[in-house]
Amino acid sequence: GCRALKSAILSYCEVIYDYAFAKCTSLEYAYFPICSLIGSFAFNSCAGLKNVVFPTCKDISEYAFAECTALETINFPDCQNISEYAFAECTALETINFSNCTNIGSHAFEHCSELISVYAPRCVSIGEFAFSGCKKLQAQSVFKSCSYVGSWAFFGVNLLSELILYSCNYIGSGAFDRTRLSRIYLRSSSVCIMHNSVFHQTLSLSGYETLSRPLMKSINVFVPGSLFSVYLEKPPFNGQLSVPSMSTQPSLFLNYY
């Protein structure tokens, strides 16, 4: 780590290799206008890094910005892939804009405790524990194209109340454990597979079907104008499950296998 380096501006750099700026603790600003790939641990533990500009970057490797504890906002308009732990422990990070990202890897934003909103409308896959521990993440978060939500992806996201997952067809176990989720917006003609502990200890659920479990009241699933099937791996607990009459609502089926 070059501990006295305060800025990195490289106009012709296309690739940043592994560990290139790791532990440059005084680095505050990085600008790479044509860089397309950021290697593993490239800016890891740059505790003073506040602002990064990568307008053409398409791939962020594992741990690239992990533990950059001063980083507040990130904007990677062309990024398509965020690898595992890429921004983990970025405890000052508040907003994320990845308008073209299709994959968010496992643990990518884990324990980003100040993260409020995420904009990733083209994201197809959210890995396990991707936003675990992001306690302030709220309803502004949009994943309209997401088809896969990994296990524990939003574990402990205390303020999460609504989520837009129009294209989702798989939600892993514990994905919304210890959240206040009350609404999931789904719009799909395909089957959605939900594992049995998806909503384990979800604090504030209300809607179509009622599940009698401590801390769990019910689930509100909005599926405008389409037939939608929710498959649970097995009955989620020993208790009663009731589906109220939905004669005026889109069809919702619960199935066990």
Side-chain angles (χ1 to χ4, degrees):
C2 298
R3 297 187 178 181
L5 183 67
K6 290 186 175 295
S7 65
I9 303 172
L10 296 174
S11 300
Y12 300 102
C13 178
E14 296 183 1
V15 176
I16 301 175
Y17 290 103
D18 298 352
Y19 296 92
F21 296 94
K23 297 184 179 180
C24 292
T25 53
S26 296
L27 185 65
E28 297 179 359
Y29 177 71
Y31 175 56
F32 292 77
I34 65 170
C35 177
S36 61
L37 171 64
I38 301 174
S40 302
F41 293 87
F43 293 91
N44 182 265
S45 298
C46 290
L49 189 62
K50 296 179 180 180
N51 190 9
V52 295
V53 181
F54 290 86
T56 61
C57 181
K58 297 187 182 301
D59 197 333
I60 302 173
S61 300
E62 61 270 17
Y63 293 93
F65 293 93
E67 299 183 37
C68 291
T69 53
L71 196 60
E72 294 181 356
T73 61
I74 53 177
N75 189 344
F76 289 77
D78 281 352
C79 183
Q80 297 174 4
N81 177 64
I82 304 170
S83 297
E84 60 185 26
Y85 293 97
F87 294 92
E89 305 284 350
C90 289
T91 52
L93 191 61
E94 295 181 355
T95 61
I96 296 171
N97 186 342
F98 286 98
S99 53
N100 286 303
C101 181
T102 57
N103 177 66
I104 297 176
S106 300
H107 305 268
F109 296 95
E110 187 174 30
H111 297 308
C112 291
S113 54
E114 296 298 314
L115 187 61
I116 297 173
S117 68
V118 179
Y119 183 69
R122 297 186 181 182
C123 181
V124 174
S125 176
I126 300 174
E128 61 183 22
F129 294 96
F131 294 96
S132 173
C134 297
K135 297 180 179 180
K136 296 185 178 181
L137 191 62
Q138 298 179 16
Q140 297 97 322
S141 301
V142 177
F143 303 97
K144 291 182 179 180
S145 300
C146 186
S147 61
Y148 177 94
V149 178
S151 299
W152 316 103
F154 293 91
F155 175 81
V157 183
N158 296 347
L159 297 182
L160 186 66
S161 60
E162 298 181 359
L163 201 60
I164 299 174
L165 294 169
Y166 284 160
S167 303
C168 194
N169 54 39
Y170 177 90
I171 301 177
S173 60
F176 305 113
D177 191 0
R178 302 180 192 276
T179 72
R180 296 184 181 274
L181 194 65
S182 61
R183 294 183 178 181
I184 301 177
Y185 292 86
L186 301 167
R187 184 176 62 204
S188 175
S189 58
S190 61
V191 171
C192 183
I193 300 174
M194 293 186 185
H195 280 254
N196 59 303
S197 59
V198 166
F199 300 102
H200 178 65
Q201 293 194 9
T202 301
L203 302 179
S204 177
L205 294 166
S206 61
Y208 292 164
E209 70 268 36
T210 301
L211 311 179
S212 59
R213 179 185 182 87
L215 299 180
M216 176 183 280
K217 294 182 179 180
S218 57
I219 303 167
N220 208 354
V221 182
F222 293 83
V223 194
S226 65
L227 181 67
F228 194 84
S229 295
V230 176
Y231 282 83
L232 300 179
E233 186 178 27
K234 60 182 179 180
F237 52 87
N238 295 323
Q240 300 296 318
L241 182 147
S242 62
V243 181
S245 173
M246 296 182 291
S247 58
T248 61
Q249 302 289 352
S251 297
L252 177 67
F253 296 95
L254 295 175
N255 305 275
Y256 301 125
Y257 66 92

